Amino acid sequence: MTDYTVEFVGTEETIQVSEKRTILQACLDAGIAQEYSCRVGMCLACSAEIIEGEVTQPAAHALTESEAESYALTCMARPQSDLKLHRGRYPPSVEDAAPAGATAADD
């Protein structure tokens, strides 16, 4: 089993995550306040932009195939390499649908 380093941009938080665990599980175990809601890849509450690295997330139903290349749903995503993630960043399809004046959550 391989462990990868997951660094969260802007918060200086870093955790080790096994390729067999979700990033959300590892965050919760480490006491990191990662936002989440449904835990089944549908609500986007746990979304993070992938700055560097790769994940596997076959059950991330709320993301299109192209969005899944740049965004991770931490409740579904398992690391496939060391990662840099920016939490609270949402795919453009969500940003485009937001009411005027709304902004993405910032850490």
Side-chain angles (χ1 to χ4, degrees):
M1 192 166 17
T2 304
D3 287 350
Y4 295 106
T5 300
V6 177
E7 176 186 338
F8 297 102
V9 174
T11 67
E12 308 303 323
E13 295 168 313
T14 301
I15 56 174
Q16 295 296 309
V17 184
S18 161
E19 66 186 350
K20 303 286 186 190
R21 301 192 70 219
T22 67
I23 297 165
L24 176 61
Q25 288 170 328
C27 284
L28 296 175
D29 288 348
I32 293 175
Q34 170 62 42
E35 189 173 336
Y36 68 95
S37 184
C38 74
R39 288 186 158 197
V40 294
M42 294 299 293
C43 75
L44 295 169
C46 66
S47 182
E49 184 178 10
I50 301 169
I51 305 300
E52 288 180 17
E54 295 182 22
V55 300
T56 184
Q57 51 185 347
H61 303 294
L63 296 174
T64 66
E65 192 173 312
S66 65
E67 289 173 340
E69 294 175 12
S70 300
Y71 294 87
L73 298 183
T74 63
C75 70
M76 294 286 115
R78 290 170 169 77
Q80 299 297 290
S81 68
D82 290 340
L83 294 168
K84 284 188 181 181
L85 300 177
H86 196 154
R87 294 185 310 203
R89 297 294 173 135
Y90 302 97
S93 61
V94 174
E95 292 297 325
D96 293 343
T103 59
D106 290 322
D107 283 4

